[in-house]
Amino acid sequence: MFSQLIKSHLEQSVRNVLKSLSVSYTDEISVRLEQPANLEHGDYSSSIAMQLAKILRKAPMVIAELVKADLQQQGNMERLLVKIEVVAPGFINLYINWQAWAGRTFELPPTSGEKAVIEHTSINPNKSAHIGHLRNSCIGDALVRILKRTGYNVEVHNYIDDLGNQLADTVVGLLNVPFEGEHARFGDYCWDIYAGVNKEYARNPEMTNKRTAVLHALEKGTGNDAWLGNLVAERIVREHVEEMKNFGIEYDLLVWESSIVREGFWSSAFERLMLTSVFVQEKEGKLNGCWVLKQASVADDGDADSEDFSMDKVLVRSNGILTYTAKDIAYHLWKFGLLEKDFSYHEFTAGLWTTGLTGQPKPYGKADIVINVIDNRQEYPQQMVKQALQVLGYTDQAEKLHHVSYGVVSLSPASAAELGIDISDGKTSYAMSGRQGIGVKVTDLVQLMENTVEYSRSDKSGLSSRDIATAAIRYYLLRFNLGTEIIFDFRQATEISGNTGVYLMYTFARANSVLSKAPATDLTKLPQFPIELEKAESSLLRHLSTWEDTLYSASKELTPNTLCNYAYTLATLFNNFYSVCPILKGEESTIQFRVWLTSRVNLTLGDVLQVLGLPTPIRM
């Protein structure tokens, strides 16, 4: 990677200077590079001389000159530098030889083909998906693409909680809540049934006993209630899978929670946990009879006795029903290949496999790295899984278990009002609630966005309005920082200008259009760069040079939004270049250079779009 190459040369020069002064290079010394906002201050800059001033007891300007001299002696970083400048109070400014940069190839660091299991989507199979679920799926799929692009062997799981309260409630509703209505899909019907049964619980609390009975039936796996639950879950999962496919999101394996229980995975995990000192059955208090994982590594605080905290640390309830966390612990032991047991597998749809009681062996699991995309409300249960791995002695695996946490999606006041929610309390946002039937279904959002795109476009010969709509929604859900709560607004989500997926795709199509009109030329042949670059050209080259570094950083930090930031900046810089630097007019050498630069933008932006899961249209 380019910046890493510069940094390694700079570090070597610092080492050489320290050695010449009989001073050791320590871990406390950190060579940092930054790209100055002002191009006059160099393409890259470092303040390392000021950091070394106290250690060497010399003026930063003196140290900077010593480092500069060593860099020059090294050959100006393999001739990648055209100038090194020292400026007060001790900055080392580096100016890139862009002709030399363009003639080099900068590879990503090797990953040794490590296997990463990424679990995402994991929607309760009891009703249609809403936009909060879609944020999870888009983040997860972007991470899949990022890791594949950076050399990992990636396996994608979608975990199906077919033994949970939500499915049980839908089954109770189907059996006990009379309801009629016209619905295009079964999931939409169950959306209303789920809301209806929760209203019935509020009116008649004793009815929750039916939920408990259904939960037991689902876990047992026999009888009418269990079969009805299986049918409901499978039908809705098929709808979810098809819906996500419209966004380019696919999976390798569906892991059913019922398979974990019935294949004895939890039994094996239970036996292992029993051998530890932190897994105990409570004998008194409100958790009497529950099997609990004691939280030795979690500091007690004022919330330690809250119901949520208590229930999170419970793995088996006093009535014998397993919690979600218990089954998740067993699932993760299998993910890392730490159980002797395995599932049987059969095809759910073409190319998508599923766990079950019958089928054939497949080489799933046995991960080197596990990544779970789950919203920030599940942070504590995820810590529980990590702690279980640690107490069982699997510390390496615990360190390689990553929770990609993200903020939930709520509704803006305007969107909430449009859905009929009372907003008289003046809140800044309103939470979606499946129990109350409040939320924006994915299918409804796609249709709304498609209508907006169709109405606003004059030329309909490029991408279909639906493809543009799904890409725009996907980008909208990816571009926010992961920890940010998205306050969903219909108007904002359907915008097609500014920092949007539509803007990025339009920019890619514009670059394609320029190249199609350019004189026939061999774009693999490097043209002669101008002696003096225009500011727009320099800015574009400098940003292009950071692509591999940005991609690598996103793969390590698991942050798809950094690629959105990169793509938007690249598109903005290119459109500025397009407006101020005539590409197909002028001297032949200028045209050749600017066409080459356009082709480099087209190649890089296309790479970014594909990693983000957006189309690369020749025309919009």
Side-chain angles (χ1 to χ4, degrees), residues 380-449:
Y380 188 69
Q382 285 293 296
Q383 290 177 4
M384 292 272 298
V385 175
K386 188 180 285 276
Q387 187 198 350
L389 290 171
Q390 290 169 338
V391 300
L392 289 171
Y394 303 120
T395 54
D396 289 345
Q397 288 79 2
E399 289 178 4
K400 293 183 177 181
L401 172 60
H402 304 283
H403 173 204
V404 176
S405 172
Y406 62 92
V408 297
V409 182
S410 59
L411 301 170
S412 69
S415 296
E418 195 167 333
L419 292 175
I421 300 171
D422 181 6
I423 61 170
S424 60
D425 54 8
K427 292 181 181 178
T428 58
S429 64
Y430 293 83
M432 290 188 289
S433 170
R435 289 183 174 86
Q436 299 177 46
I438 297 171
V440 182
K441 299 185 188 77
V442 172
T443 49
D444 293 343
L445 177 60
V446 170
Q447 190 60 57
L448 175 66
M449 186 67 183

Side-chain angles (χ1 to χ4, degrees), residues 41 67 163 363 450 468 607:
H41 297 159
V67 174
L163 299 181
E450 182 181 358
I468 295 173
D607 199 7

